[in-house]
Amino acid sequence: MTEAVFHLRAGGVSVVVATSDTALPVICHWGRDLGPLDAGALARVTEHAPGTRVTSEPDRPLAVGVLPEPKQAWMGPPGLTGDRDGAAGFPDFDAVANEYERVDSATVAQRLIATATDAANGLALRLEFELLRSGLLRTRAVVRNDGAGRYRVDGLDLALPVPGRAVELLDFSGRHGGERRPQRSTIVDGTHLREQRRGRPGPDSATLLVAGTADFGFARGEVWAVHLGWSGNARLWAHRTNGGRTALGGGELLLPGEVMLGPGEEYETPWLYAAHGEGLDDASARIHEALRARPVHPAVGRPVTLNTWEAVYFDHTLAPLHELAALAADVGVERFVLDDGWFLGRRHDRAGLGDWTVDPAVWPNGLTPLVERVRELGMQFGIWFEPEMINPDSELARAHPDWVLAPLHRDAPLARQQLVLNVGDPDARAHLRDRIVDVVTAHRIDYIKWDHNRDLVEPVDRASGRAGVHRQTRAVYELMHEIRAACPWLEIESCSAGGGRIDLGIVERTDRFWTSDSNDPLERQRIQRWTSLLMPPELLGAHVGAATAHVTGRSSSIDFRAITSMVGSFGIEWDIREATADERASLAGWIAEFVRLRPLIERGRIHRLETEPSIIAQTVVSTDRAHAIATIATVDSPAHLPGAALRLTGLDPEAAYRVTRVRPEASVDPTTTRRQPDWWTEPGIWPGIVLAEVGLPMPILRPQEAGLIELVAQ
Ligand code: DGJ
């Protein structure tokens, strides 16, 4: 037997993997960088507690493999489950070759690939680990059926060990208009399991499953976080054994019979991403850095966007849209997006999905008069599609009832009056591709807002009778790929009734996310704070809505709304024809500031500040720490009278910063009796160490007020 220990190091993270040619690799350390260890020191990392001979536990010490196997005495969620005609197929990968490689790429630093065979079960396996330059780790597996007959895969989860000092968990839930509500719990023996069975991540997706030391926070404690880069059904779990071993794991959640491998066929898992950090911000920064290093990551200068949905809904009439476009260009909008309602029969949400041709009833001269006006005004043009959906009241549903992803013998339950189109059907997919490419190329449309408004309930392929979420998810990725290949200039925004499809799978095919249907800044402060743990702000659509938010009915000032949109991909979701001239001037002022600051916002590092719960504050700091902004928002009545200071983290303690409030002319309140700190009205110089350790005196902000501060090193 040959054994080798590999030490992968990058971005402040070490991953130590014990390998052998008779067993699958085991991660012995995933966490802080251990420095350059020699072979003797590395061997120490791989030593296990030997166990005792007097209990009923297995004789061999327990090892949580990356693909956990029962033969290693792992009694938590299994790695590979499946069977060949019902035969008990406990995996037994006992012939393994390991290959380590330093990688010359912008994103990946090192790679380890284990290829293994399980002769008893007729299976071959390929396990990949990549340590990205930012210290983000990812792992995936491919299993191949090398035997005769079919092998049914029920699940293939991968797992990573976390040390016993991780005692708490954080993950997320949520609802439409209220995505990413954090939930904390204590790690106890057994399994904490988060399943997503909606055929998409959904508004209640776990997003990240984080284990951490006691009371971990944004810049406190040590954390280990996992995320599955997948837009279909998924599971993430944390398991602690009765022996006190903890692992985080996950994989695609397969419906019965979804993956049946014929001889020679393979199943590939999505990437399981793993971010270690000294607190949440550090782990989050590793994900952001890895995304930003990709050659396909959107360049700095994300266009300020106006989306028409909450301005006109289904009322598509040319003159008001022309007026809206002109006002948009006036305030500084760079991309104009025509939302739902432009295609055949789509006067309301009960008809039309599937019929992707411009409706002559509302667009007698086609889209050209609008597209041309938008372009004349110097803006890009974007348009809404919901390709994976179909209304029973549509030409497509009447022509192709067989293309619906639903049981054959009865009507499927409707959601938002719609059914799911079976994109896994090659003819349906080709039809969609042709329709979308036609519309896009006819006007050289710059941007698609790609929506997905319902869950995949009872998703059955009517031709084969088999469940179809796995196939649907892969087919949608492929469809996006084909459309982008045909229209290389095109950008796509992933929307799913707001933020229901935000994950590291679809991010490889899209350029922006619609973060939530709630444009209420109070909700947005929380939603964006938590969604930005996974996705960097330049990918998260953050729109200034109407003064009275359509989803919550709550009213707020233009300044509070605009500052809330500042750390994001700035946009407008408001009928600005109804805005007062003052409001439009203020909006234009904020847009100009956003455009000035966006190189910083789109590449800076976010530090979420620990404050009392009534305040949400953050800094965004440039890589060289010479330039930063801070946003402070009051989301509730403060618990204390003013007097607190706000410690601004992430700055250079040795530098002196000029502290300036951005747009001090905003929120001037002649009735106020508030005495604000000097810097609120006059720029001042502050030592970085004082800002970090003592803090900036807090301005007195009423509930739903906010401030934007700029810091420039002198
Ligand atoms: C749901 C999206 O989240 C909204 O922004 C809007 O595009 C509607 N769908 C249109 O039907």
Side-chain angles (χ1 to χ4, degrees):
M1 180 173 75
T2 316
E3 292 184 338
V5 183
F6 293 96
H7 186 187
L8 282 59
R9 295 176 63 208
V13 167
S14 273
V15 181
V16 179
V17 193
T19 67
S20 103
D21 58 2
T22 57
L24 292 178
V26 172
I27 291 185
C28 303
H29 170 83
W30 157 43
R32 287 187 185 128
D33 187 9
L34 302 176
L37 299 184
D38 63 23
L42 270 182
R44 289 291 187 214
V45 181
T46 68
E47 275 188 27
H48 285 288
T52 144
R53 295 206 178 80
V54 294
T55 67
S56 58
E57 295 298 308
D59 296 341
R60 272 194 300 165
L62 172 71
V64 189
V66 177
L67 189 144
E69 292 168 298
K71 75 171 183 183
Q72 295 163 327
W74 171 249
M75 296 299 157
L80 173 64
T81 47
D83 73 278
R84 193 182 294 280
D85 274 342
F90 297 109
D92 189 9
F93 291 98
D94 56 2
V96 185
N98 298 286
E99 205 180 307
Y100 167 83
E101 182 192 356
R102 282 191 182 280
V103 185
D104 181 20
S105 100
T107 47
V108 185
Q110 288 154 77
R111 178 180 295 137
L112 182 66
I113 296 177
T115 43
T117 52
D118 169 351
N121 288 296
L123 296 175
L125 182 78
R126 178 185 158 93
L127 259 182
E128 284 178 50
F129 306 81
E130 286 185 348
L131 187 59
L132 309 188
R133 297 202 178 276
S134 70
L136 184 67
L137 174 69
R138 62 181 183 183
T139 174
R140 70 177 170 191
V142 181
V143 65
R144 189 180 66 229
N145 176 13
D146 276 353
R150 290 204 300 191
Y151 181 82
R152 187 174 84 163
V153 181
D154 289 333
L156 208 178
D157 284 8
L158 300 174
L160 300 158
V162 293
R165 62 183 182 278
V167 290
E168 289 179 16
L169 292 175
L170 164 73
D171 60 14
F172 296 89
S173 182
R175 56 164 168 78
H176 175 237
E179 295 84 345
R180 269 154 283 285
R181 304 214 161 213
Q183 37 186 33
R184 294 287 285 241
S185 53
T186 305
I187 299 184
V188 293
D189 287 0
T191 306
H192 172 89
L193 173 64
R194 295 299 311 279
E195 290 187 334
Q196 60 195 42
R197 291 179 174 272
R198 299 175 182 278
R200 56 173 176 151
D204 57 345
S205 125
T207 309
L208 283 162
L209 175 57
V210 188
T213 52
D215 197 33
F216 68 84
F218 294 122
R220 224 179 31 233
E222 193 182 358
V223 302
W224 296 260
V226 289
H227 167 87
L228 195 73
W230 185 242
S231 315
N233 288 339
R235 26 189 277 134
L236 283 180
W237 48 262
H239 182 85
R240 192 171 75 183
T241 68
N242 62 352
R245 300 252 185 167
T246 307
L248 297 175
E252 182 180 3
L253 190 157
L254 294 172
L255 297 174
E258 272 199 309
V259 176
M260 308 276 284
L261 300 179
E265 286 181 348
E266 293 181 343
Y267 165 71
E268 181 182 271
T269 70
W271 286 111
L272 180 70
Y273 286 86
H276 172 263
E278 308 296 336
L280 292 165
D281 287 348
D282 192 33
S284 165
R286 288 211 160 89
I287 304 173
H288 293 189
E289 205 187 305
L291 287 171
R292 287 170 173 172
R294 300 170 307 150
V296 297
H297 194 73
V300 168
R302 306 301 295 137
V304 175
T305 297
L306 181 138
N307 188 75
T308 60
W309 179 240
E310 290 196 355
V312 299
Y313 291 102
F314 291 108
D315 185 5
H316 285 201
T317 317
L318 189 57
L321 287 167
H322 272 172
E323 202 188 329
L324 193 60
L327 292 170
D330 271 356
V331 297
V333 167
E334 297 160 315
R335 174 183 281 160
F336 185 92
V337 181
L338 182 68
D339 207 284
D340 194 356
W342 57 270
F343 46 95
L344 214 58
R346 189 66 168 176
R347 303 287 69 74
H348 42 65
D349 68 5
R350 298 183 299 283
L353 288 176
D355 297 343
W356 302 111
T357 47
V358 179
D359 192 340
V362 278
W363 296 95
N365 300 310
L367 292 174
T368 306
L370 180 63
V371 178
E372 281 186 352
R373 177 66 60 86
V374 165
R375 293 250 161 79
E376 279 160 19
L377 291 163
M379 296 182 287
Q380 297 182 7
F381 186 81
I383 199 163
W384 183 94
F385 278 95
E386 193 177 5
E388 297 139 89
M389 299 293 157
I390 182 166
N391 282 119
D393 184 2
S394 66
E395 311 262 306
L396 190 68
R398 283 183 282 275
H400 281 289
D402 52 320
W403 284 0
V404 171
L405 193 63
L408 191 52
H409 62 284
R410 64 173 157 78
D411 290 342
L414 293 173
R416 208 200 186 206
Q417 323 285 339
Q418 64 200 51
L419 296 166
V420 181
L421 188 76
N422 186 1
V423 186
D425 180 305
D427 294 335
R429 186 172 105 202
H431 170 84
L432 276 181
R433 182 199 56 220
D434 294 348
R435 299 298 336 114
I436 295 171
V437 169
D438 273 1
V439 174
V440 169
T441 49
H443 303 282
R444 209 178 185 283
I445 287 173
D446 301 285
Y447 182 81
I448 288 179
K449 177 178 176 185
W450 186 304
D451 209 343
H452 180 290
N453 278 301
R454 64 158 292 171
D455 296 334
L456 275 56
V457 179
E458 300 179 299
V460 183
D461 171 61
R462 285 185 157 170
S464 66
R466 286 171 56 182
V469 175
H470 170 74
R471 196 166 81 142
Q472 179 90 348
T473 312
R474 288 255 174 250
V476 170
Y477 285 171
E478 191 52 36
L479 176 62
M480 287 179 168
H481 172 76
E482 288 172 353
I483 292 169
R484 296 187 72 142
C487 314
W489 64 86
L490 185 72
E491 284 199 8
I492 299 179
E493 172 180 65
S494 167
C495 169
S496 183
R501 188 152 66 178
I502 300 183
D503 62 79
L504 293 179
I506 207 143
V507 78
E508 298 300 337
R509 286 99 187 157
T510 53
D511 308 273
R512 191 186 201 244
F513 295 97
W514 184 223
T515 314
S516 176
D517 270 354
S518 179
N519 295 306
D520 177 342
L522 207 67
E523 302 275 352
R524 278 298 190 125
Q525 282 285 343
R526 299 190 182 96
I527 294 168
Q528 291 168 199
R529 155 168 279 202
W530 294 112
T531 310
S532 75
L533 272 190
L534 182 70
M535 289 297 170
E538 65 272 21
L539 300 187
L540 296 175
H543 291 188
V544 174
T548 300
H550 289 203
V551 167
T552 62
R554 189 159 32 212
S555 299
S556 56
S557 71
I558 176 69
D559 303 311
F560 188 58
R561 275 136 62 211
I563 292 174
T564 299
S565 297
M566 211 36 90
V567 182
S569 172
F570 194 104
I572 301 172
E573 190 96 5
W574 176 18
D575 188 355
I576 49 174
R577 293 172 309 156
E578 288 175 356
T580 64
D582 281 354
E583 283 175 321
R584 281 200 296 267
S586 184
L587 185 58
W590 285 115
I591 289 175
E593 292 297 345
F594 171 76
V595 168
R596 184 176 68 82
L597 294 168
R598 72 185 160 190
L600 165 66
I601 293 164
E602 294 178 5
R603 289 299 179 270
R605 179 177 167 151
I606 299 182
H607 298 264
R608 298 162 189 85
L609 307 184
E610 305 280 0
T611 55
E612 68 156 278
S614 67
I615 293 162
I616 292 184
Q618 64 193 337
T619 59
V620 183
V621 184
S622 66
T623 318
D624 62 4
R625 295 191 293 176
H627 191 196
I629 56 165
T631 61
I632 313 172
T634 315
V635 294
D636 206 344
S637 299
H640 298 106
L641 290 170
L646 187 68
R647 294 171 65 198
L648 302 182
T649 44
L651 302 173
D652 179 355
E654 317 246 295
Y657 289 90
R658 183 179 175 83
V659 175
T660 312
R661 181 177 160 219
V662 178
R663 300 200 74 242
E665 67 276 23
S667 303
V668 174
D669 175 1
T671 66
T672 189
T673 55
R674 289 180 275 181
R675 277 187 312 194
Q676 299 288 25
D678 290 350
W679 67 264
W680 191 245
T681 39
E682 288 296 321
I685 306 289
W686 292 74
I689 187 79
V690 173
L691 292 171
E693 294 303 327
V694 183
L696 192 65
M698 266 291 287
I700 301 169
L701 296 178
R702 293 169 174 154
Q704 298 191 59
E705 278 189 339
L708 174 64
I709 303 158
E710 185 174 9
L711 301 107
V712 181
Q714 298 302 291

